[in-house]
Amino acid sequence: MSWTPGSPEIKSLWALDPRVVYLNHGSFGATPRSVLAMQAELRDEMEAEPIEFLGRSWPARAAEVRERVARFVGADPRGLALVTNATQGVAAALDAVDWREGDEIVVGDHGYNAVKQAIRRLVVERGVRLVEARIPFPLQERAQIVDAFAQAITPRTRMLLVDHVTSATALLCPVFELVALARARGCLVLVDGAHAPGMLPLDLEALGADFYTGNLHKWVCAAKGCAIFYASPDWRERTHAPVTSHGYTLGFHEEFDWPGTFDATAWLSLPAAFEHGDRLGWQALRAKNHALVREGRAEVAHALGVELPHSDDELLYGAMAAIPFPRGTPGSGPELNARLYAEHRIEVPFTSYDGRIFVRISGQAYNSPADYSSLASVLASFG
Ligand SMILES: Cc1ncc(COP(=O)(O)O)c(C=O)c1O
């Protein structure tokens, strides 16, 4: 179907408050009405007969939805599990490795705090070292990201933990090259694709990382609490679910499919999220979301009087972009976010990296170019 971003028909697919200019799809996604409707039906079904739903029929239903997800991300379903979020996927991967004192984990300095916290815990409990690869930003070319990791590797490096899309700076990292680097230097590699599924086409078998995790509740527009965790064949038998439950040691899927009693409707409503994306067309969606962000970031940067931190190369960013704030900005990131929301009903995050504040815009089908113009005109008058 042909469609225009931000048109009334497209906006009506989502339940978002029409009074808010919503430019933060990146943080928690936004779930379309069709997915919420399927989830509500599933909840009714679950509450009508909880034992049938969560007991007898669950293993077959979980397997069916997993097969569908596996096709979408190009994974062998035998190595793919559903988890609640990327934070849990990272936890499962880090827990699988027999860390030795002095082992080093290299993570990009644009990395996500919750993930670094998981490594800091290993620092305290297992004596590993957290090493940051310094990725320049502004960035001229993708090769600088690979160079940053290459320079951080030492003979003690055990694992590279690579963001597929960085959170604060919205950069796409060249994961194929980074997996190749890890292989060449004898390191394990965990790819944190929290923002990747739906924003970028995925082929996890071709990528060949040891572990991959990514959210479905962001750019696949699934209900909240849907994510993937992938383990390569070498790791499947040695990897446990982040929560130990009945399935412990009974097999990869047995472990992950039952984290204890939970609301399984988020996972089971995934077919509606895929249908939503299929109707808009995944390729068209990616291209239109990227175009919104490309135009939006230029307009916002112009209004702020700042240089863009990287070129328009499509390999450098997808459906999000970070624009630096001029130095001497009045207020912290959270203060700026609260002010924009309170005074202008614009929802946009302000991130920070290397002592600088960035405004991070997202582009999703419900956005229109006018949303970025509203942001730009408000930011231009900020003092
Ligand atoms: C790079 C990165 N990793 C991990 C996460 C954690 O995602 P979640 O809170 O869904 O677990 C995020 C969230 O935005 C992220 O940007």
Side-chain angles (χ1 to χ4, degrees):
M1 88 190 221
S2 99
W3 55 276
T4 306
S7 65
E9 304 76 54
I10 294 295
K11 267 183 183 299
S12 72
L13 299 179
W14 273 269
L16 288 165
D17 183 342
R19 292 166 301 183
V20 177
V21 175
Y22 202 74
L23 291 171
N24 189 6
H25 193 85
S27 282
F28 303 124
T31 312
R33 291 180 196 279
S34 58
V35 180
L36 296 173
M38 181 171 186
Q39 190 176 22
E41 270 176 37
L42 286 161
R43 278 219 179 93
D44 287 347
E45 191 190 335
M46 177 167 71
E47 296 309 335
E49 226 299 14
I51 303 297
E52 173 61 20
F53 192 92
L54 287 172
R56 286 183 289 271
S57 70
W58 171 243
R61 292 177 88 156
E64 191 180 331
V65 78
R66 189 172 49 238
E67 296 265 341
R68 177 72 184 85
V69 178
R71 281 202 301 282
F72 187 75
V73 299
D76 180 342
R78 286 174 297 183
L80 191 83
L82 287 169
V83 287
T84 306
N85 49 51
T87 305
Q88 292 203 2
V90 167
L94 293 180
D95 185 52
V97 181
D98 56 331
W99 299 106
R100 295 177 298 249
E101 196 162 340
D103 280 348
E104 293 175 355
I105 304 178
V106 177
V107 60
D109 63 342
H110 297 218
Y112 189 68
N113 184 53
V115 171
K116 286 192 190 166
Q117 290 286 68
I119 302 174
R120 287 182 194 117
R121 184 168 170 194
L122 293 177
V123 170
V124 172
E125 295 181 358
R126 310 286 283 274
V128 310
R129 285 193 63 229
L130 187 164
V131 177
E132 289 196 326
R134 192 155 169 75
I135 301 170
F137 200 69
L139 186 90
Q140 314 305 328
E141 54 181 5
R142 277 151 54 91
Q144 290 174 286
I145 302 175
V146 183
D147 286 348
F149 275 87
Q151 280 168 25
I153 294 175
T154 74
R156 306 299 303 262
T157 305
R158 191 84 190 279
M159 175 184 269
L160 306 187
L161 200 167
V162 175
D163 289 327
H164 203 159
V165 182
T166 64
S167 175
T169 49
L171 269 181
L172 303 190
C173 295
V175 286
F176 277 86
E177 289 86 335
L178 288 162
V179 170
L181 172 71
R183 293 283 168 259
R185 305 287 286 271
C187 315
L188 300 171
V189 60
L190 158 60
V191 180
D192 173 1
H195 288 275
M199 187 198 286
L200 304 169
L202 291 180
D203 184 344
L204 297 190
E205 294 304 329
L207 181 62
D210 295 284
F211 305 101
Y212 190 101
T213 187
N215 285 317
L216 302 173
H217 50 232
K218 291 185 192 280
W219 298 93
V220 173
C221 291
K224 307 279 178 288
C226 272
I228 53 163
F229 172 69
Y230 172 84
S232 66
D234 281 354
W235 284 97
R236 275 165 217 165
E237 282 180 21
R238 286 181 279 165
T239 304
H240 299 291
V243 174
T244 306
S245 184
H246 297 298
Y248 177 60
T249 68
L250 298 183
F252 187 72
H253 291 146
E254 285 75 3
E255 288 220 13
F256 281 86
D257 282 356
W258 192 252
T261 308
F262 77 123
D263 184 349
T265 61
W267 296 2
L268 293 182
S269 56
L270 270 163
F274 289 124
E275 205 175 296
H276 166 86
D278 287 346
R279 251 187 301 149
L280 297 178
W282 291 99
Q283 235 179 319
L285 188 60
R286 284 182 197 119
K288 290 183 194 207
N289 289 351
H290 179 76
L292 282 168
V293 170
R294 187 180 62 235
E295 301 303 319
R297 79 179 192 126
E299 192 172 355
V300 170
H302 181 72
L304 288 170
V306 293
E307 296 285 319
L308 288 169
H310 53 75
S311 74
D312 263 342
D313 183 346
E314 275 187 38
L315 295 176
L316 290 176
Y317 68 115
M320 298 195 299
I323 303 115
F325 241 62
R327 295 197 190 272
T329 296
S332 66
E335 283 164 357
L336 291 166
N337 165 266
R339 186 171 158 197
L340 251 91
Y341 184 66
E343 295 174 12
H344 304 280
R345 286 285 175 265
I346 295 177
E347 190 62 79
V348 73
F350 291 82
T351 61
S352 64
Y353 167 69
D354 203 21
R356 192 106 195 241
I357 291 182
F358 295 83
V359 54
R360 189 191 74 186
I361 56 172
S362 289
Q364 181 53 283
Y366 52 73
N367 291 122
S368 66
D371 293 342
Y372 306 91
S373 304
S374 303
L375 176 66
S377 67
V378 168
L379 293 182
S381 68
F382 251 43

